[in-house]
Amino acid sequence: MSRTRYRVVFTLLGIALAAVIVLAVVLSPSGRETKLPAAVDSYAPVDGATVLRQTQLVIDMAPGYDIDLVVDGVAIPDAEIDVIPETGRFTWTPGPDKTLAEWAPGLHAIAVDWDRSSGLPDPGSLRWSFRVQ
C-alpha cells in the first residue's frame, strides 16, 4: 500500500470515529431525561405514557417519607394508599369503595407532595400526567 493510500484510509477512519462519537452524544437519552428529586426513586406510569385502565400508580420514595396524593384534583385518603414503609413504596389503584371507582379514558393529572416522617423536614412535590386508553 502506498503512503497516500494509508493517509486516505486513516483519514476516513478518523472521520468515521468522530461521526460515531458525535452521534453517541447527540442521540444519548441522558440529556433529555427528567431529573427526579432526590427523595423520589421512581414513579409509574411515567409522564406522558399511555396505559390501560387497570394501571396502578406507584411512587417509590426514599424510606422515611410520607406522601399526599392528588389524582385529577381529588385528594386520595391515606387509608386508600398501600404503603411498604421499609422500602418507601406507595401504590394506589382506583376501585370499588375508593375515591375513584375506575380510570376514565383520557388524560389524568397526578400530584404528589411529600415530607419526611421524622427528623428534619424535606418537603417537595412532583407533578405528571398520563393517558388512559
Side-chain angles (χ1 to χ4, degrees):
M1 223 192 259
S2 70
R3 202 175 227 179
T4 306
R5 182 171 264 173
Y6 275 118
R7 286 183 182 160
V8 170
V9 168
F10 281 115
T11 301
L12 290 175
L13 287 174
I15 292 171
L17 178 63
V20 167
I21 291 171
V22 168
L23 285 174
V25 170
V26 169
L27 298 178
S28 70
S30 62
R32 293 181 293 225
E33 289 179 357
T34 303
K35 299 279 185 183
L36 291 176
V40 180
D41 294 331
S42 66
Y43 65 92
V46 296
D47 190 28
T50 300
V51 298
L52 300 175
R53 294 176 84 174
Q54 306 89 314
T55 198
Q56 177 182 53
L57 281 181
V58 179
I59 301 101
D60 281 324
M61 302 289 297
Y65 284 85
D66 289 325
I67 69 165
D68 293 320
L69 177 63
V70 177
V71 176
D72 296 331
V74 178
I76 304 300
D78 291 342
E80 291 184 18
I81 302 171
D82 295 322
V83 182
I84 303 173
E86 295 80 17
T87 62
R89 176 170 263 208
F90 297 84
T91 58
W92 180 80
T93 308
D97 301 324
K98 292 196 175 179
T99 303
L100 298 174
E102 64 181 7
W103 291 115
L107 193 64
H108 294 277
I110 309 301
V112 177
D113 296 314
W114 65 81
D115 202 355
R116 285 188 202 261
S117 52
S118 62
L120 295 174
D122 184 22
S125 64
L126 181 65
R127 310 286 190 260
W128 78 94
S129 62
F130 60 92
R131 183 170 301 283
V132 174
Q133 289 185 345

